[in-house]
Amino acid sequence: MEIIHLTHPMKEHFDMQEPHVMALGFFDGVHIGHQFLLQQAKKIAHKNNCKLSVMTFDPHPSEIIKGETDRKYLTPLSSKLEEMSQIGVDKVFVMKFTSLFASLPASEFINQYIIKLHATHIVVGFDFNFGYKAQGNVNYLRKASRYNPFKVTVISKRVTNDNKISSTFIRELISEGDVHLVPYYLGKHYEVKGFINYPKDLYRQPRLNSMAFQIQGKYVLPKQGLYKVEITDGCKTIQGFLNHNSSHEIRFELLSNKLERLKEVHQKEITVKFFNRVAYMDTIPIWN
């Protein structure tokens, strides 16, 4: 998958001549609704014998427009790009969201970042907005397509258990500790990435049952509690618990009687997958 970073105003020498189907959106989490949208875009691209592209934005517009610089994500950019690659996206345009880009009129966004990029078909969600003060929406796109060389497909909202599938709703579930419900909307268990920090006297300890875990990236995190998790370094996978018992936002404690298996991954990135929040009274000692 090719990744192209763009900054407004776009450099004059960048000119994409190859026609493509382009999905537009922020796609935080690449949840089930996003996956459906991207799969529909992929079908359109295949039908028209052209490539599938995505335009996403970094950081989230709220960081610039509303000053939410401490905003947390379901998938930081690197994780989002990995998800898109697995879906089969051919090219991703990562637009740097700046105050200058935020002031771009909707009509100019279409001229510079749809027409000039030779996108022949645009696929968006029903609630997609763009342009200065969100003046552009799906109806604006549809009207513009009548007089320009691109088509528009709008994907309606997706619902599970009477709840609209959205990044906002998934963030709320995680924040409340309801990580066991996340797969119904995200399409998989929630994951975060980070590094484990073993004690300096690692090889002198007869048995290792806990270790510090430091999250890398601005992830949405569950509330304090004990969580059943899966820990993997990409080669080895173990079961355990993550203990979040302080207000510290990036450092946690991982607990498992199988941590010995991960001794070699000191300072190597690992992934922690959340299964469910566990009541302390229900836990079973992990060092038996």
Side-chain angles (χ1 to χ4, degrees):
M1 184 178 76
E2 183 180 5
I3 301 170
I4 300 174
H5 291 269
L6 300 177
T7 302
H8 179 74
M10 191 164 57
K11 295 180 179 178
E12 289 298 326
H13 70 265
F14 181 82
D15 188 15
M16 182 173 175
Q17 296 293 336
E18 186 178 25
H20 54 106
V21 174
M22 184 162 68
L24 293 170
F26 191 78
F27 301 110
D28 188 26
V30 195
H31 56 57
I32 289 175
H34 295 147
Q35 293 169 31
F36 181 81
L37 185 153
L38 293 172
Q39 290 295 347
Q40 295 307 303
K42 188 176 180 179
K43 289 179 181 179
I44 296 170
H46 181 73
K47 182 178 180 180
N48 290 277
N49 195 30
C50 61
K51 292 186 175 181
L52 169 61
S53 71
V54 169
M55 179 175 286
T56 189
F57 310 93
D58 184 57
H60 191 278
S62 293
E63 288 202 31
I64 304 302
I65 298 173
K66 299 180 181 179
E68 297 177 2
T69 55
D70 196 36
R71 186 182 180 89
K72 300 299 189 292
Y73 298 91
L74 300 173
T75 46
L77 181 60
S78 59
S79 298
K80 179 162 60 176
L81 294 175
E82 288 178 13
E83 295 288 339
M84 290 182 175
S85 178
Q86 292 176 10
I87 288 174
V89 175
D90 298 303
K91 188 188 304 285
V92 177
F93 298 101
V94 181
M95 171 59 70
K96 184 177 181 180
F97 202 95
T98 63
S99 56
L100 184 60
F101 179 72
S103 66
L104 187 69
S107 59
E108 280 305 302
F109 175 84
I110 289 174
N111 289 332
Q112 297 184 39
Y113 297 107
I114 293 180
I115 297 173
K116 189 173 181 180
L117 291 181
H118 293 276
T120 57
H121 202 124
I122 300 299
V123 183
V124 295
F126 70 99
D127 55 356
F128 179 70
N129 292 291
F130 63 100
Y132 180 60
K133 292 187 176 181
Q135 63 186 205
N137 55 27
V138 295
N139 290 327
Y140 190 102
L141 270 177
R142 283 174 170 144
K143 291 177 182 178
S145 69
R146 298 173 188 170
Y147 312 104
N148 290 288
F150 65 86
K151 297 180 180 180
V152 175
T153 294
V154 177
I155 304 300
S156 59
K157 71 177 180 180
R158 311 294 293 174
V159 176
T160 296
N161 298 326
D162 296 325
N163 295 306
K164 184 184 79 169
I165 300 174
S166 70
S167 301
T168 299
F169 183 68
I170 296 171
R171 282 193 290 268
E172 291 173 355
L173 288 176
I174 295 169
S175 297
E176 290 301 314
D178 295 324
V179 294
H180 62 290
L181 298 176
V182 168
Y184 295 108
Y185 306 93
L186 190 62
K188 65 176 186 178
H189 291 285
Y190 185 56
E191 300 176 351
V192 299
K193 294 183 179 181
F195 295 90
I196 52 178
N197 295 307
Y198 285 107
K200 294 181 179 179
D201 58 346
L202 170 64
Y203 292 99
R204 296 180 183 178
Q205 296 194 16
R207 189 147 194 167
L208 191 65
N209 293 314
S210 67
M211 62 183 176
F213 174 61
Q214 184 164 338
I215 291 177
Q216 296 294 308
K218 299 170 66 174
Y219 285 98
V220 174
L221 299 174
K223 69 179 183 180
Q224 293 185 23
L226 187 68
Y227 294 86
K228 184 177 180 181
V229 299
E230 181 181 89
I231 309 160
T232 180
D233 66 350
C235 297
K236 299 177 182 178
T237 300
I238 64 174
Q239 306 296 313
F241 296 91
L242 181 143
N243 189 19
H244 177 20
N245 62 0
S246 73
S247 59
H248 202 293
E249 293 188 352
I250 64 172
R251 294 180 183 175
F252 303 89
E253 182 182 21
L254 290 175
L255 309 168
S256 175
N257 62 352
K258 299 178 181 178
L259 290 176
E260 298 283 335
R261 299 180 185 180
L262 297 180
K263 276 187 176 181
E264 312 86 71
V265 306
H266 181 50
Q267 289 302 318
K268 179 180 178 182
E269 186 177 71
I270 65 168
T271 299
V272 173
K273 180 185 297 183
F274 290 86
F275 289 132
N276 58 277
R277 189 168 186 265
V278 184
Y280 283 95
M281 65 183 71
D282 296 334
T283 60
I284 299 175
I286 58 174
W287 39 83
N288 288 344

